[in-house]
Amino acid sequence: MKLLPVTFVLTLALAACSGDAEVINPTPTTTATTTTVGIPPATTTATTSTTTPPSATTIPATTAANPGQGRFISYESALGFSIDYPGQWRVEDTDGIVTFFSPTNGQDTFAEFVEVYTLEAADLDLVDPTPAQVMELLAADIALAGDYGEIVFLEEGPDETDGEDAYGVAMQGSVDDVTYTLAYAASIHNETIYIIGFQATDDVFKYFEDFNTMADSFVWID
């Protein structure tokens, strides 16, 4: 399983400048109070939505980076999955959200991250939802929140998570002239919705191999 299909990855590099991207939130002035998704540090504070991914700003600053440069560590979550992550990344498992953060330095102050969390169908007012329906709601929630100004839809399509059907969506937006890429995939296992995704600045491809290695390693623990 890839974090994104191959067509996703190619489009992330090209679609923003292709002229073919579709704007799914043409009114960036829209305000909302139902998101905590990917707000870069020291921007705005928002409340939690049932569909919108949690914000990177909710992770305590005291979380220590793991040692293990150049190797991957296996992580088993009480949410019912196992995933490998780079040893130099730091991990936080809080309130049912597992987040893996890349290292930062003086030039790169935004920690790209991969996160996994769960939802129940009742949270979304859906009966027997498909992964595509879940991602439609998630993408709309992100766009309407307005935290990234005008959200541009890059790509979407079916995928697979350890044998289960999945569906992914990739988007871009900007804050203070910095472009952010948001990509999420939903899958359903034992009637629980799993969301796996990443958020990164527009130089995301420096961690391309790490993202896909992590996603390839994702397995269910029953």
Side-chain angles (χ1 to χ4, degrees):
M1 171 256 182
K2 297 289 185 186
L3 183 60
L4 297 175
V6 173
T7 53
F8 257 61
V9 175
L10 294 176
T11 306
L12 288 176
L14 301 175
C17 58
S18 69
D20 295 327
E22 175 186 355
V23 176
I24 61 174
N25 181 21
T27 54
T29 57
T30 300
T31 58
T33 59
T34 56
T35 184
T36 57
V37 58
I39 302 170
T43 55
T44 59
T45 302
T47 57
T48 302
S49 167
T50 56
T51 57
T52 305
S55 168
T57 58
T58 63
I59 302 303
T62 56
T63 302
N66 289 286
Q69 297 281 338
R71 64 187 178 89
F72 280 73
I73 298 172
S74 180
Y75 185 85
E76 292 190 4
S77 170
L79 295 178
F81 68 89
S82 173
I83 192 171
D84 297 340
Y85 70 97
Q88 72 271 28
W89 288 34
R90 73 182 193 273
V91 59
E92 183 72 24
D93 191 338
T94 305
D95 297 329
I97 306 162
V98 184
T99 313
F100 305 88
F101 288 93
S102 70
T104 58
N105 53 46
Q107 290 73 44
D108 180 11
T109 58
F110 179 82
E112 286 78 16
F113 64 91
V114 174
E115 63 183 353
V116 185
Y117 63 99
T118 62
L119 297 168
E120 299 298 330
D123 297 332
L124 309 178
D125 293 326
L126 294 174
V127 177
D128 295 327
T130 65
Q133 288 175 319
V134 172
M135 286 311 307
E136 181 180 2
L137 289 177
L138 179 66
D141 207 23
I142 292 171
L144 289 174
D147 293 313
Y148 289 96
E150 186 175 72
I151 289 291
V152 177
F153 173 84
L154 299 180
E155 185 63 273
E156 67 176 296
D159 201 354
E160 183 177 290
T161 302
D162 191 26
E164 302 280 10
D165 290 339
Y167 198 87
V169 173
M171 297 160 280
Q172 279 187 339
S174 63
V175 178
D176 297 330
D177 297 323
V178 177
T179 299
Y180 293 88
T181 298
L182 301 81
Y184 285 88
S187 58
I188 301 173
H189 183 68
N190 291 340
E191 299 184 355
T192 296
I193 299 167
Y194 286 78
I195 306 293
I196 179 171
F198 75 80
Q199 294 188 30
T201 54
D202 54 5
D203 59 354
V204 61
F205 284 96
K206 67 184 175 182
Y207 290 119
F208 168 77
E209 292 184 2
D210 288 336
F211 287 139
N212 277 323
T213 297
M214 292 178 71
D216 283 341
S217 72
F218 187 101
V219 293
W220 310 112
I221 301 175
D222 293 322

